[in-house]
């Protein structure tokens, strides 16, 4: 029996992780659950407590923790009163480092996942990682701790899971290239979306993802290819591969989830349906594989065809910025990530700026980071750079909005 | 240094094996060479002796051996006189069991490869197998010996190499399906080649293979899908997988060389260029991979698209016969293989019969094998069944040719 703690149990990855656990009750136990603490979170986590009977639960918001405490005190859920309740960042850490936990699924969004994950690693918990910021912002730091404490870091992202699967049974020194596939997003077709038109694209244009529905932020990142850029940085850290050996190939059908090319020229690829339960399950069951439901099986005959294109770094400058930030390393990836998050979440998704303003804001913030840029940063350096980048991006975009132009941005 | 003996060093696989050895002289040595012994073989093997300085050489034909002996006696090739010369089936066995040999590449065509391969296994030599008959006709027997003597059997065929590569790092019990890809051959497109038209197809139609040039027999087998059927039988033996778990998918681009589906639904595939040096090199270097030349690398962007179709068992009955013969096991696969070889090589390639007569001849021979059919056959049973099937097929096809019809075939 493997005891799993889930940071972000009420989100998309969290609930799918619980579905995997539900299907394999003989193998896995949801020992710890944590969520942000909104009213929706509380409703859902009460259901989860009833079903999975975790030993520890945390709400990130103190208010949410109070509400949940009252519900549990009144024993409204018919569960043992021995459940440990915790709150705040401390609560997330309590869940991720809980004594009986074997593996932590980090499925919270944003940099809030970083500290509880690092703490879990220090407590020798294996990690199943769905949180992008952990590796994008603090990849050097996190991988050092992973190595030091000798824990397994399993990717949950379908691309990184595919790379991991394609590396099995091969020697790292034989690897010649990682090929990360990319759907291309809604602006893929240049005949419909030439460079100038992408500049002017709105929230509504960008939210039309051709292959599947995801949350707002990640859908915009898929449209700008920033999502792929973040994955390139993650792949660099996860597999210790130089950026020049990580290639992106546009593959609109998204059936091949990624590939590894070896020095003999042979390419190993992992293919599958679009169902996050598969990489989640693999991250929990590795090196075994477990059965999945009918939903897990791909029919290549029905798929019919797979196509491949070169990514367009001109129309999608965010992909280039990610490579640049990755190559520079240090605090730069955190700065790029923060600038992107602010531009997308606080401005573009609020209909305050156009699509073309996102890369411009990122570029400006990266270029302004100069003096504060730091190699080999400690955690506090990363958090400081993140904070600075957010402020800088806001100040720049506020000028752009006021002027309706970039001409007064220094 | 790994010492390699090559049975069939002057053929297509043999010369490509030597090219791999030439490119990795620090890793491999061609210690033994064997060929049939035609004048062309002798010219080529003299060159090979000069370049690779093997310690043992054999010619299958006694006449060829005599000729080579004279050339060596006159020291026309400037090579050490210590080279061991041998002839006949004994010669092939001498090469395959040569004391210093670590691995035998079985690249001769036809059932002549069977006995030297079995002898090599008994002498604890690893095998790299390009000879189809070894597993198709004597799969049960050969795999028993492989297990008993604990040697490695590496496939050279690109499909089986792809399966082998896709199985690395996974547990056999997690395997759910082997997916063998198939180019579909020149008669793939039903709108151009409906069932009736395939029946009437000639040697010239069938020799137009859409993807690459191969020898006559294998090209016809690719057109009838018998080649794929033989590969299904080989995969069954190599990977100990029931026939119901081996699927054929038509994939005209032949970029994905084959796939393995696991019980979680994940599919691992191996992709690459069409160059036999790659699976040959992998068979020699496994579990490592070695660098290959520029010829080894695939550009998926240039490939552009991969397509997949269901195989058509009605238009290509040979594929069904192979599954049937495989399921029956015993002497039946040898009977089917012999009937096919006679029908293709002695009749169809001589322009004596039409394409549709090939499956009819195979079907008739398989149906007539009834009483002589044997489960768990010994080597002599297999060779006897092979001989019987050849005679039977000839007698049937001679009637068809005389009558210009199947109506008098009992």
């Amino acid at each position: 029996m493997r005891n799993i703690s889930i940071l972000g149990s009420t989100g998309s990855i969290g609930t799918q992780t619980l579905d995997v656990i539900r299907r394999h009750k003989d193998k896995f136990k949801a020992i710890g659950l944590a969520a942000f603490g909104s009213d929706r979170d509380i409703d859902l986590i009460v259901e989860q407590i009833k079903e999975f009977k975790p030993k520890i639960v945390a709400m990130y918001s103190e208010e949410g923790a109070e509400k949940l405490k009252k519900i549990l005190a009144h024993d409204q859920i018919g569960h043992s009163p021995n459940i440990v309740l915790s709150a705040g960042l401390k609560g997330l850490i309590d869940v991720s480092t809980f004594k009986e936990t074997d593996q932590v699924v980090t499925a919270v969004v944003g940099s809030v996942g970083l500290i509880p994950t690092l703490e879990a690693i220090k407590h020798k918990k294996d990690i199943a990682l769905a949180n992008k910021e952990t590796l994008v912002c603090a990849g050097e730091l996190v991988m050092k701790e992973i190595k030091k404490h000798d824990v397994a870091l399993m990717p949950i992202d379908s691309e990184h899971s595919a790379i991991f699967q394609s590396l099995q049974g091969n020697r790292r020194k034989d690897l010649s290239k990682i090929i990360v596939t990319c759907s291309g997003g809604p602006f893929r077709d240049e005949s419909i979306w030439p460079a100038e038109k992408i500049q002017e694209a709105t929230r509504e244009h960008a939210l039309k993802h051709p292959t599947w529905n995801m949350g707002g932020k990640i859908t915009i990142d898929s449209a700008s290819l920033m999502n792929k850029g973040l994955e390139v940085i993650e792949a660099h850290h996860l597999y210790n591969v130089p950026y020049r050996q990580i290639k992106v190939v546009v593959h609109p059908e998204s059936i091949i989830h990624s590939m590894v090319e070896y020095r003999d020229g042979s390419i190993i690829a992992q293919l599958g349906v679009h169902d996050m339960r598969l990489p989640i399950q693999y991250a929990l069951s590795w090196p075994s594989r477990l059965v999945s439901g009918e939903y897990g099986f791909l029919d290549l005959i029905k798929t019919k065809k797979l196509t491949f294109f070169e990514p367009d770094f001109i129309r999608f400058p965010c992909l280039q910025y990610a490579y640049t930030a990755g190559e520079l390393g240090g605090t730069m990836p955190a700065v790029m990530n923060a600038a992107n998050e602010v531009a997308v979440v606080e401005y573009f998704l609020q209909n305050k700026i156009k699509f073309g303003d996102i890369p411009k804001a990122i570029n400006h913030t990266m270029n302004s980071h100069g003096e504060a840029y730091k190699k080999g940063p400690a955690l506090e350096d990363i958090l400081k750079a993140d904070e600075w980048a957010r402020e800088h991006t806001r100040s720049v975009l506020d000028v752009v909005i006021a002027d309706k132009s970039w001409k007064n941005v220094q």
Side-chain angles (χ1 to χ4, degrees), chain A:
Chain A
M1 185 64 71
R2 199 165 171 73
N3 289 329
I4 314 286
S5 276
I6 306 172
L7 304 181
S9 72
T10 57
S12 164
I13 297 293
T15 53
Q16 291 183 84
T17 302
L18 286 169
D19 190 47
V20 169
I21 293 173
R22 180 183 292 125
R23 289 165 183 270
H24 297 284
K25 288 203 179 83
D26 55 323
K27 297 272 191 304
F28 308 121
K29 157 111 184 116
I31 197 102
L33 302 177
F36 181 76
S38 67
D39 287 349
R40 180 193 160 278
D41 282 349
I42 292 170
D43 290 349
L44 192 48
I45 216 158
V46 162
E47 292 305 313
Q48 292 175 349
I49 292 170
K50 278 186 200 169
E51 181 178 357
F52 295 97
K53 305 189 173 37
K55 295 198 176 172
I56 180 165
V57 171
M59 297 278 106
Y60 185 62
S61 99
E62 303 284 345
E63 195 193 332
E66 274 308 309
K67 284 187 190 167
L68 182 64
K69 195 175 172 184
K70 277 182 194 147
I71 296 172
L72 291 178
H74 288 84
D75 201 14
Q76 293 173 359
I77 64 168
H79 184 61
S80 146
N82 297 329
I83 192 166
V84 178
L85 262 185
S86 189
L89 183 63
K90 180 188 172 296
L92 299 193
I93 297 170
D94 286 345
V95 168
S96 77
T97 63
F98 188 65
K99 206 178 153 212
E100 293 176 48
T101 298
D102 297 311
Q103 187 171 22
V104 177
V105 175
T106 302
V108 290
V109 176
S111 50
V112 67
L114 192 49
I115 294 169
T117 304
L118 275 168
E119 286 303 314
I121 296 167
K122 287 174 187 164
H123 284 75
K124 289 187 90 47
K125 312 297 188 191
D126 288 333
I127 306 293
L129 192 67
N131 170 275
K132 280 208 147 41
E133 287 74 10
T134 305
L135 286 179
V136 170
C137 303
E140 299 167 30
L141 203 67
V142 169
M143 294 313 293
K144 213 163 68 185
E145 294 295 325
I146 288 282
K147 214 167 169 179
K148 183 172 160 192
H149 299 281
D150 192 27
V151 302
L153 176 60
M154 296 296 301
I156 277 186
D157 207 20
S158 64
E159 287 80 355
H160 300 110
S161 179
I163 296 163
F164 188 89
Q165 293 182 50
S166 300
L167 285 167
Q168 295 302 298
N170 282 282
R171 302 179 181 201
R172 200 55 58 92
K173 66 171 182 174
D174 291 339
L175 182 154
S176 98
K177 205 190 283 173
I178 282 178
I179 303 168
V180 184
T181 54
C182 169
S183 76
F187 305 143
R188 181 177 62 82
D189 190 338
E190 195 173 0
S191 65
I192 303 172
W193 288 98
E196 320 78 62
K197 200 173 157 194
I198 292 181
Q199 297 286 322
E200 306 296 320
T202 65
R203 183 179 185 277
E204 280 58 46
H205 294 129
L207 285 177
K208 279 188 194 147
H209 193 279
T211 317
W212 56 84
N213 285 318
M214 299 172 291
K217 159 75 162 53
I218 193 172
T219 305
I220 304 307
D221 285 351
S222 294
S224 69
L225 300 203
M226 177 55 94
N227 187 50
K228 210 45 56 177
L230 298 176
E231 286 171 11
V232 166
I233 297 174
E234 290 181 278
H236 162 81
H237 291 298
L238 275 168
Y239 307 115
N240 192 23
V241 173
Y243 286 97
R244 65 176 182 283
Q245 285 174 263
I246 306 176
K247 301 289 168 198
V248 171
V249 168
V250 175
H251 168 47
E253 299 82 12
S254 301
I255 292 292
I256 296 184
H257 293 151
S258 278
M259 301 175 245
V260 175
E261 181 192 80
Y262 292 96
R263 59 177 174 169
D264 59 358
S266 186
I267 293 176
I268 303 294
Q270 190 263 342
L271 294 73
V273 294
H274 311 138
D275 192 305
M276 286 308 293
R277 286 173 290 188
L278 299 177
I280 292 169
Q281 180 174 300
Y282 186 74
L284 303 189
S285 72
W286 176 83
S288 292
R289 293 177 185 272
L290 303 175
V291 288
S292 63
E294 264 313 301
Y295 63 85
F297 288 83
L298 174 68
D299 185 342
L300 268 175
I301 308 289
K302 277 191 192 149
T303 304
K304 249 183 184 158
K305 78 169 194 233
L306 307 178
T307 59
F308 306 95
F309 307 91
E310 199 87 61
D312 186 339
F313 286 86
I314 306 298
R315 288 193 302 141
F316 303 104
C318 287
L319 184 57
Q320 185 56 59
Y321 299 157
Y323 270 98
T324 305
E327 288 275 11
L328 285 166
T331 46
M332 196 55 94
V335 164
M336 179 200 69
N337 177 70
N340 178 61
E341 197 171 312
V342 165
V344 170
V345 176
E346 300 178 18
Y347 290 82
F348 184 72
L349 283 174
Q350 314 298 328
N351 276 321
K352 291 179 181 171
I353 59 172
K354 293 176 299 181
F355 196 72
D357 294 325
I358 300 172
K360 281 184 194 151
I362 296 167
N363 191 33
H364 194 281
T365 304
M366 283 173 69
N367 286 336
S368 309
H369 183 48
E371 275 176 46
Y373 168 73
K374 208 164 174 176
K375 279 249 168 232
L379 186 57
E380 49 269 39
D381 299 319
I382 293 165
L383 298 176
K384 217 173 102 188
D386 173 285
E387 201 42 58
W388 169 84
R390 285 171 202 272
E391 280 311 314
H392 183 88
T393 307
R394 286 179 196 121
S395 68
V396 165
L397 286 177
D398 288 342
V399 171
V400 171
I401 291 166
D403 288 2
K404 292 194 172 65
S405 123
W406 280 78
K407 69 175 189 295
N408 288 324
V409 176
Q410 297 300 311

